[in-house]
Amino acid sequence: MSLMDRVAALEAELDKAKARTAEEVEQFRVAMLGRNGAVTELFDAFKTVAVEEKKLLGQRMNKLKQLAQARFEELKDGVGETAIATGPQIDLTAPSLTEPTGSLHPITIVRQRIVGIFSRIGYTVSNGPEVEDDHHNFGALNFAPDHPARDMQDTFFVAGPEGTSGADRALRTHTSSVQVRVMENSKPPIRTISPGRVYRNEAISARAHCMFHQVEGLYVDKGVSFADLKGTLDHFAKSMFGAEVKIRLRPSYFPFTEPSAEVDMSCSICGGSGCSICKHSGWVEIMGCGMVDPAVLSNCGIDPEVFSGFAFGMGVERIAQLIYRVPDLRMYWENDVRFLEQFKAAPFRS
Ligand code: DAH
């Protein structure tokens, strides 16, 4: 091939040259303009060309070299643009750096679970204030002003505005205050649960705290019976802890229910054979309950001659304790991530 033909062939090659990466641009530069590159070699061969041919060929070759140079710049810029358009080069096969994820608080997990069980059988969720008045926390629930039952709950009173006594305002000691608000504001049939925080003036220890969580339940309609109460609580216990658990009701006393009962469940930890959690009795107490006292219905504007109802109240920490066996109640409030991150996968059967 004559030198002139080689120039023409290289021009065509330059036109077609492509590069997708910086590496390919460099390969192009070496192949064309490098020390042993095609263009460089042509210049070496030029030395042997006859004088009369030199002028024309020299011009073509200089043009070729400029073209190769320009093409190189173009390819280099092209790769630069692609790099900008796609952002930094990412290795999609590299293992990802996982962001630490948070987890729900165990009390939240258990509360959501309780709420879920009752919403599926038609209970609504209702809320009330944490700073409550005497009427809703005590009076309407049948706690007479000098009733000894008030001693059951050590109340935190809240100071009133300047010059007023705080006697009528307190941090609610139980979520039963919400059943009063619901009954005052709605007509039966009422089927509701009220989850929330409650406060009691207790010395803080592994087994007691001045704030904790309860879920109150209330069902008022015509003909609601104690059997309905027991059936509902049995359904709850089995849904929460497993179909094998049993419940039993023991007579008890609450000012706002008559009759009243304490609910025990066969120990979900040892299956009833006896362990340290159930103090070797095979039973653990899970909540209080009863038929709403007719006086409470009247206090809230519901006719006890027409309607009856049941109520129950459980401690969320208590239920959580039976699931997670947290040894110290204070841990629920410390928010130590080493504690919290253990609840990422909740051990619930559904
Ligand atoms: N309020 C009670 C407490 O804090 C719990 C309770 C017991 C609620 C019986 C009820 C009930 O609705 O019927 O200890």
Side-chain angles (χ1 to χ4, degrees):
M1 201 195 286
S2 75
L3 283 186
M4 208 45 133
D5 289 344
R6 278 168 67 185
V7 170
L10 279 173
E11 278 175 347
E13 212 174 296
L14 286 180
D15 252 344
K16 283 187 279 170
K18 282 198 182 76
R20 276 163 306 156
T21 63
E23 230 172 295
E24 289 179 6
V25 174
E26 178 59 10
Q27 278 164 11
F28 168 84
R29 189 193 64 78
V30 172
M32 289 295 169
L33 300 161
R35 204 163 349 118
N36 300 315
V39 177
T40 319
E41 266 172 18
L42 260 180
F43 273 85
D44 289 340
F46 182 69
K47 289 171 198 151
T48 62
V49 167
V51 184
E52 60 277 18
E53 282 181 56
K54 271 196 168 155
K55 193 171 178 219
L56 186 63
L57 186 63
Q59 283 171 355
R60 284 289 300 275
M61 283 177 46
N62 280 334
K63 224 177 114 207
L64 176 75
K65 195 172 178 184
Q66 281 166 10
L67 261 176
Q69 199 69 47
R71 191 77 191 116
F72 168 61
E73 295 297 334
E74 240 178 82
L75 292 176
K76 206 162 71 173
D77 288 348
V79 169
E81 266 168 37
T82 333
I84 291 163
T86 57
Q89 294 295 305
I90 297 169
D91 179 358
L92 294 175
T93 64
S96 61
L97 297 172
T98 45
E99 286 289 324
T101 52
S103 54
L104 290 177
H105 193 282
I107 295 300
T108 307
I109 297 172
V110 173
R111 189 200 64 219
Q112 287 181 348
R113 175 82 183 174
I114 298 170
V115 169
I117 292 169
F118 284 103
S119 10
R120 284 193 288 277
I121 54 169
Y123 281 70
T124 60
V125 174
S126 42
N127 294 298
E130 291 183 19
V131 177
E132 196 44 287
D133 53 40
D134 185 88
H135 167 74
H136 291 97
N137 197 76
F138 293 121
L141 289 166
N142 244 359
F143 289 78
D146 54 353
H147 198 294
R150 283 184 189 238
D151 295 341
M152 279 161 63
Q153 304 183 345
D154 303 299
T155 311
F156 280 121
F157 289 96
V158 178
E162 206 73 51
T164 60
S165 119
D168 190 38
R169 289 203 292 173
L171 296 179
R172 66 181 176 196
T173 58
H174 53 180
T175 44
S176 303
S177 55
V178 187
Q179 55 159 288
V180 175
R181 290 183 175 272
V182 173
M183 285 191 279
E184 283 176 346
N185 294 317
S186 44
K187 295 259 155 292
I190 295 168
R191 227 186 271 130
T192 191
I193 52 165
S194 318
R197 259 183 214 179
V198 301
Y199 304 84
R200 290 187 198 173
N201 191 359
E202 302 250 10
I204 297 172
S205 71
R207 305 175 131 264
H209 211 292
C210 61
M211 42 190 178
F212 50 100
H213 299 79
Q214 287 187 335
V215 175
E216 183 81 10
L218 175 72
Y219 179 26
V220 183
D221 202 352
K222 287 181 183 156
V224 176
S225 72
F226 203 86
D228 296 325
L229 169 61
K230 189 169 181 188
T232 303
L233 298 183
D234 188 56
H235 168 76
F236 165 74
K238 288 182 163 58
S239 311
M240 190 80 199
F241 294 98
E244 67 286 358
V245 302
K246 294 192 198 66
I247 60 161
R248 72 177 185 190
L249 277 71
R250 266 183 299 118
S252 185
Y253 172 76
F254 298 100
F256 38 90
T257 41
E258 183 57 35
S260 304
E262 215 76 67
V263 183
D264 292 344
M265 182 181 76
S266 56
C267 182
S268 54
I269 303 209
C270 62
S273 58
C275 67
S276 61
I277 302 286
C278 61
K279 301 199 187 81
H280 301 281
S281 70
W283 295 93
V284 285
E285 191 182 308
I286 55 167
M287 67 177 103
C289 69
M291 299 305 293
V292 182
D293 193 303
V296 173
L297 292 174
S298 309
N299 290 343
C300 301
I302 292 177
D303 185 352
E305 298 294 330
V306 180
F307 296 104
S308 58
F310 65 67
F312 55 88
M314 67 186 98
V316 181
E317 279 79 355
R318 175 84 188 127
I319 304 289
Q321 164 70 10
L322 293 171
I323 294 164
Y324 300 123
R325 283 184 263 175
V326 174
D328 188 325
L329 276 180
R330 289 170 290 198
M331 288 176 145
Y332 287 121
W333 297 93
E334 283 162 358
N335 286 333
D336 184 327
V337 282
R338 291 167 302 178
F339 170 72
L340 295 177
E341 68 192 2
Q342 299 175 71
F343 301 96
K344 278 191 178 156
F348 277 131
R349 291 158 278 204
S350 54

